[in-house]
Amino acid sequence: MSLIEIADYRLAFDGFEGRVQVLDGIDLAIEAGEAVGIVGETGCGKSVLARSMLRLNPAPPARIVSGQIRYDGADILAMPPDRLRDLRGGTIGMVFQDPVTYLNPVFTIGRQMAEVLRAHEPDLSRAQRRARSIELLDAVRLPDPAGLLDRYPHELSGGMRQRVLIAEALAGNPRVLIADEPTTALDVTIQRQILALIADLVERLGLTLVLISHDLGVIGAVCRRIVVMYAGTVVEDAPAESLFRAPQHPYTRGLLAAMPDLGRPDHMPEGIAGSIPDLRSPPKGCRFHPRCPLATAICSERKPVLDGGPHAVACHAVAAAA
Ligand SMILES: Nc1ncnc2c1ncn2[C@@H]1O[C@H](COP(=O)(O)OP(=O)(O)OP(=O)(O)O)[C@@H](O)[C@H]1O
Ligand SMILES: [Mg+2]
């Protein structure tokens, strides 16, 4: 049994403009101790999938069309509220995309840490909460953690704010850390430091990591397994080394070709022609087929299955060539 098991998971949003079919049959199993990266273009459903692991997509408008999500064997989609609360921020810590909205500008860091701790460990005394806050801020390598408790979010740099949010995600002693674009708003140097911190925490605390980014470089720096999403589907799922050495799916190949090659500054990234589909009326069959250089008739008719682990790929052309 895997620690997290997602099977044939479909989720849609019902809106004024019709139904948006965001996740279309996600299959994903994550083992304890793995560091898994989820990569894909903007709007492909990475954050919706991450929130699904904690049942955090508000329903309505979200509607689960099919499938299952299990944590340690327990069905998250059928979990009673108290167990769900233990999971959220407890067993599974989450660092949300867009750190600014998750720190309240009018409260000190100390007050916000205390509030998070109160939710997890209501019995702690004030002094214990303070000590634990300092310990957590220290764990994310923030200098002068005690002094930091009296500061406001705007007094901190972007990198420091992100560290505070990681500290908050660790407050419930999680087994799993889900980090959604934890470095996107940061400059390259700070980005590296945050990634190094995450890798270090995963190692030290024995965490299972789900790292989400649109940047394969970010994912590749930390994760040993990479899941490539396209328009709400998993198109490739492989060990990182294998994915970088021999990408299979035409979309993954395009993503890799779009990465700047530092060894060859004269090499222009190619990118992928076209743009992501409107998920109100997604393409039939393989959702990538309108942009795919290898597409044949079957691709617009039948959805390809994710096949061939440990390096799994969902592509009719790849399957036909094998
Ligand atoms: N609450 C919501 N109501 C309606 N549609 C939503 C809602 N949340 C997300 N969506 C839609 O779901 C799709 C996937 O969004 P999601 O935020 O998961 O993308 P993403 O891969 O995380 O993108 P990014 O890289 O920009 O963060 C988008 O089309 C988005 O508009
Ligand atoms: Mg997102």
Side-chain angles (χ1 to χ4, degrees):
M1 184 173 65
S2 307
L3 189 62
I4 298 175
E5 269 176 5
I6 304 176
D8 189 37
Y9 184 67
R10 286 188 172 75
L11 180 139
F13 288 104
D14 289 319
F16 296 119
E17 296 174 49
R19 187 202 297 178
V20 197
Q21 301 166 49
V22 176
L23 298 179
D24 185 41
I26 301 287
D27 289 306
L28 180 60
I30 297 173
E31 309 303 324
E34 267 195 310
V36 180
I38 299 180
V39 70
E41 275 167 301
T42 182
C44 73
K46 302 182 295 296
S47 296
V48 171
L49 179 60
R51 287 199 295 269
S52 293
M53 295 183 203
L54 290 171
R55 217 167 91 199
L56 282 175
N57 293 294
R63 194 152 58 81
I64 294 155
V65 180
S66 75
Q68 279 188 335
I69 301 188
R70 291 180 179 277
Y71 176 81
D72 214 2
D75 185 355
I76 290 179
L77 304 182
M79 214 172 251
D82 56 328
R83 286 222 40 212
L84 211 49
R85 248 193 320 273
D86 291 343
L87 203 68
R88 294 173 179 162
T91 319
I92 302 182
M94 181 141 170
V95 179
F96 292 93
Q97 194 170 0
D98 190 9
V100 184
T101 46
Y102 288 93
L103 283 175
N104 193 325
V106 302
F107 295 133
T108 60
I109 301 300
R111 166 114 187 236
Q112 312 200 32
M113 293 290 301
E115 219 131 279
V116 171
L117 284 169
R118 222 192 316 270
H120 295 303
E121 296 173 79
D123 300 334
L124 291 186
S125 70
R126 213 185 149 96
Q128 285 171 321
R129 267 202 300 274
R130 186 182 158 83
R132 178 86 177 112
S133 297
I134 291 173
E135 188 182 297
L136 286 164
L137 295 173
D138 188 54
V140 296
R141 309 259 187 270
L142 278 161
D144 183 23
L148 210 58
L149 293 179
D150 299 322
R151 315 254 304 263
Y152 288 87
H154 73 265
E155 299 178 84
L156 275 56
S157 69
M160 290 170 83
R161 282 199 290 261
Q162 192 56 276
R163 283 173 197 261
V164 171
L165 288 169
I166 295 172
E168 289 187 358
L170 298 178
N173 297 313
R175 283 183 71 194
V176 181
L177 180 67
I178 302 177
D180 190 357
E181 302 274 7
T183 63
T184 305
L186 307 171
D187 71 50
V188 181
T189 316
I190 308 296
Q191 184 168 318
R192 264 196 222 113
Q193 292 169 2
I194 296 288
L195 290 175
L197 170 70
I198 290 174
D200 177 53
L201 289 170
V202 165
E203 179 80 29
R204 258 194 297 148
L205 305 176
L207 297 172
T208 303
L209 175 72
V210 180
L211 178 65
I212 295 172
S213 176
H214 62 277
D215 185 339
L216 258 174
V218 164
I219 297 284
V222 181
C223 298
R224 252 153 267 158
R225 174 177 162 205
I226 301 180
V227 173
V228 182
M229 282 184 69
Y230 181 78
T233 61
V234 172
V235 296
E236 193 157 358
D237 180 346
E241 159 280 315
S242 177
L243 188 107
F244 283 113
R245 180 172 41 79
Q248 301 288 305
H249 199 282
Y251 177 65
T252 312
R253 289 169 180 249
L255 275 186
L256 278 165
M259 278 176 83
D261 186 341
L262 298 177
R264 293 174 55 198
D266 57 325
H267 172 80
M268 282 298 287
E270 287 168 39
I272 304 162
S275 55
I276 52 168
D278 182 344
L279 296 181
R280 279 169 302 180
S281 52
K284 269 193 64 188
C286 172
R287 286 187 168 187
F288 186 61
H289 85 261
R291 296 172 80 181
C292 184
L294 305 179
T296 57
I298 190 175
C299 303
S300 54
E301 287 158 17
R302 199 173 328 141
K303 186 186 166 185
V305 286
L306 187 64
D307 225 351
H311 190 144
V313 58
C315 174
H316 291 301
V318 170

